[in-house]
Amino acid sequence: MSAHIQSIFNHHQHVASVSRVDSFGRVKTVLMNDIEHPVIAQGAHVSCASVGADVLLVHTAQGFIVTALLAEAEQAPAAQINNAQGHIVIEAQQSVSLQTAKGSVEVFADGTIVLDGQNITANSEQDLTLAGWPIRLN
């Protein structure tokens, strides 16, 4: 879906509660003043939403566009993600995790790194170095 937007600066911004999302967590409708409104688009950088979450909207001539998902009061700010000419750096104060249904990589602030998976493979065209004392295998 695409929308032709001439200018968003002449339109109003609103905070609304998400009332419906699709299977990917994209916002489909929001509630404002107990009235449900359709959403025509969502910014690519906006995280998956759930029903009841608060979002920031821009109201354009075409309809409502979700521009941000607002953090909960107890929620920490998102990790800092930087793209330095194709090198992505994810920075967090406590830890960073990459997770799927059957595996994960976790990096903790104290330097601990945990690899968890059904099958972990290391391929190297040169020497593979494991440093530490002791190195425990099983």
Side-chain angles (χ1 to χ4, degrees):
M1 168 183 259
S2 65
H4 177 67
I5 301 172
Q6 293 183 1
S7 173
I8 64 172
F9 298 110
N10 296 328
H11 301 285
H12 295 97
Q13 294 187 1
H14 305 274
V15 174
S17 178
V18 174
S19 57
R20 190 169 58 88
V21 296
D22 67 10
S23 60
F24 294 106
R26 291 181 294 227
V27 179
K28 300 318 256 175
T29 61
V30 294
L31 277 176
M32 284 188 297
N33 300 323
D34 295 325
I35 300 172
E36 194 167 58
H37 298 276
V39 170
I40 63 159
Q42 175 172 320
H45 65 281
V46 177
S47 299
C48 295
S50 57
V51 172
D54 290 328
V55 292
L56 181 63
L57 305 168
V58 172
H59 188 216
T60 68
Q62 293 81 15
F64 287 105
I65 299 172
V66 175
T67 58
L69 177 65
L70 302 180
E72 299 290 330
E74 69 280 354
Q75 184 179 1
Q80 182 67 36
I81 301 173
N82 296 309
N83 183 348
Q85 298 176 335
H87 177 77
I88 302 296
V89 176
I90 302 171
E91 186 178 338
Q93 296 296 317
Q94 300 291 325
S95 64
V96 174
S97 298
L98 299 175
Q99 198 167 34
T100 66
K102 295 186 179 183
S104 66
V105 176
E106 297 178 271
V107 180
F108 295 91
D110 68 359
T112 301
I113 299 173
V114 177
L115 303 175
D116 186 13
Q118 289 185 332
N119 183 11
I120 298 174
T121 303
N123 296 319
S124 176
E125 292 183 16
Q126 297 183 6
D127 290 345
L128 177 65
T129 302
L130 294 176
W133 184 258
I135 295 175
R136 288 177 233 143
L137 301 174
N138 289 352

